[in-house]
Amino acid sequence: FHLHTLIGTATISSVEAISSDEAVQSALARVPGATVANVTEFNRDYENGRLEYEGEIHYNGYEYDFEIDTDTGTFTKWEVEQAAY
């Protein structure tokens, strides 16, 4: 019951709706054929007072930039461009 109380009062450091693993998986789900090995960057970041995951996937000559809201699990950014590497 002690843990329950702790969770109830944790308003400042809110518990993420999705884990970093889930965030990576949902980003990869948008890039058929890509795997975790194609994720070149992944961070947790504060943006405008909100916690979000941001990352990059390089696959098949394209670069995918994404940001995911940790509270909702929704994508707040998804950009695709041909990679210049």
Side-chain angles (χ1 to χ4, degrees):
F1 79 99
H2 187 72
L3 184 69
H4 186 78
T5 312
L6 198 81
I7 292 170
T9 57
T11 45
I12 297 164
S13 58
S14 66
V15 179
E16 291 94 347
I18 62 168
S19 68
S20 53
D21 283 347
E22 289 170 320
V24 167
Q25 290 309 316
S26 60
L28 286 172
R30 292 180 166 214
V31 188
T35 66
V36 175
N38 300 109
V39 179
T40 56
E41 223 173 275
F42 188 80
N43 307 295
R44 243 172 29 161
D45 195 24
Y46 267 108
E47 196 75 34
N48 305 319
R50 298 181 68 85
L51 191 61
E52 64 180 23
Y53 297 115
E54 56 180 22
E56 233 172 65
I57 297 169
H58 286 211
Y59 183 70
N60 227 3
Y62 287 91
E63 185 181 294
Y64 303 84
D65 270 320
F66 63 89
E67 290 173 7
I68 301 173
D69 189 309
T70 59
D71 287 334
T72 61
T74 56
F75 285 83
T76 54
K77 175 185 174 187
W78 182 261
E79 287 177 8
V80 183
E81 54 187 57
Q82 269 195 295
Y85 58 81

